[in-house]
Amino acid sequence: MTGQLLFSASLISPEVQAALPPGYKVRPLASDDYERGFLDTLAVLTEIGDISKAQFLERFNYLKQHNHEYFTIVILSPDDRVVGAGTIFVERKFIRNTGLVGHIEDIAVNKNQQGKKLGLRVIQTLKYIGANRGCYKVILDCSEKNVPFYEKCGFTRKEVEMAWYC
Ligand code: ACO
């Protein structure tokens, strides 16, 4: 049994599901993925903090109320553990005739599962959602060392990322 899904499973690409290794599954984030190790998977990205189940659910419920904008997906291993994750955020613009831009964020694959094309499948899943929602482009920021990975995922280098920490 899986908990509540963040958004409709109809937005998950059947082609990506079919391309996963046997026993692996891709689906929207679920309300009980806390127990399946979702935060442990994100820990390959940065410090996560000591997040309680209540904090997880508070954030999950916020995202669910805004699930026309936030799409977080997970990949599960055959033993039902979260081993991959990623998010696309759909921004509503005035420019480009009130166009939509997809922002890919927080792509993570568990260390012991890397190199099995799961990262590629996470990105393909998010690109499918972005295209389906009507985004005219999908963009992301990454480190220099991840450029070859994103090139393999069909992205090209464009512009420069700037940051200001509050
Ligand atoms: N340098 C060169 N090529 C790479 C790299 C790399 N660092 N990483 C992956 N590739 C290549 C693979 O060799 C493969 O190529 P192939 O098709 O020729 O065989 C292709 O990219 C797809 O690789 P995957 O197996 O799908 O990659 P993986 O599942 O290991 O996931 C990821 C890649 C997500 C970067 C993973 O290593 C990870 O979680 N790293 C730590 C967290 C991180 O850096 N996340 C990205 C942050 S940026 C953001 O979130 C927008």
Side-chain angles (χ1 to χ4, degrees):
M1 268 289 277
T2 304
Q4 258 198 326
L5 295 182
L6 185 60
F7 60 92
S8 168
S10 65
L11 279 174
I12 299 295
S13 160
E15 286 80 18
V16 174
Q17 176 57 59
L20 285 172
Y24 285 71
K25 187 179 170 184
V26 57
R27 62 156 167 73
L29 180 70
S31 55
D32 52 357
D33 282 340
Y34 184 89
E35 287 82 3
R36 292 188 183 86
F38 171 63
L39 297 174
D40 296 338
T41 292
L42 292 188
V44 297
L45 280 163
T46 186
E47 191 190 318
I48 302 298
D50 190 14
I51 299 176
S52 66
K53 175 78 195 257
Q55 278 176 294
F56 169 84
L57 281 178
E58 188 188 345
R59 181 51 42 92
F60 179 88
N61 290 331
Y62 177 90
L63 298 184
K64 191 158 174 62
Q65 281 160 23
H66 299 82
N67 68 2
H68 55 295
E69 286 176 340
Y70 290 101
F71 303 87
T72 298
I73 64 104
V74 291
I75 291 183
L76 298 143
S77 57
D79 60 351
D80 201 33
R81 299 291 298 169
V82 173
V83 293
T87 294
I88 183 166
F89 165 67
V90 177
E91 178 198 4
R92 280 152 175 82
K93 290 197 168 288
F94 281 108
I95 62 168
R96 294 268 183 163
N97 202 16
T98 64
L100 306 182
V101 173
H103 298 263
I104 283 186
E105 292 285 342
D106 297 347
I107 304 305
V109 173
N110 275 18
K111 266 213 157 49
N112 63 1
Q113 298 274 344
Q114 289 177 5
K116 297 180 179 179
K117 301 234 192 296
L118 299 182
L120 173 67
R121 303 302 171 217
V122 169
I123 297 296
Q124 289 173 333
T125 304
L126 299 175
K127 284 166 75 179
Y128 181 89
I129 294 169
N132 181 292
R133 294 291 82 196
C135 294
Y136 72 88
K137 69 174 177 182
V138 173
I139 57 177
L140 59 87
D141 292 327
C142 71
S143 64
E144 197 62 39
K145 85 173 170 50
N146 281 331
V147 168
F149 166 70
Y150 286 112
E151 285 175 340
K152 293 247 159 108
C153 294
F155 286 77
T156 49
R157 194 188 283 264
K158 196 96 199 285
E159 314 286 354
V160 174
E161 177 197 345
M162 308 281 284
W164 178 73
Y165 289 86
C166 307

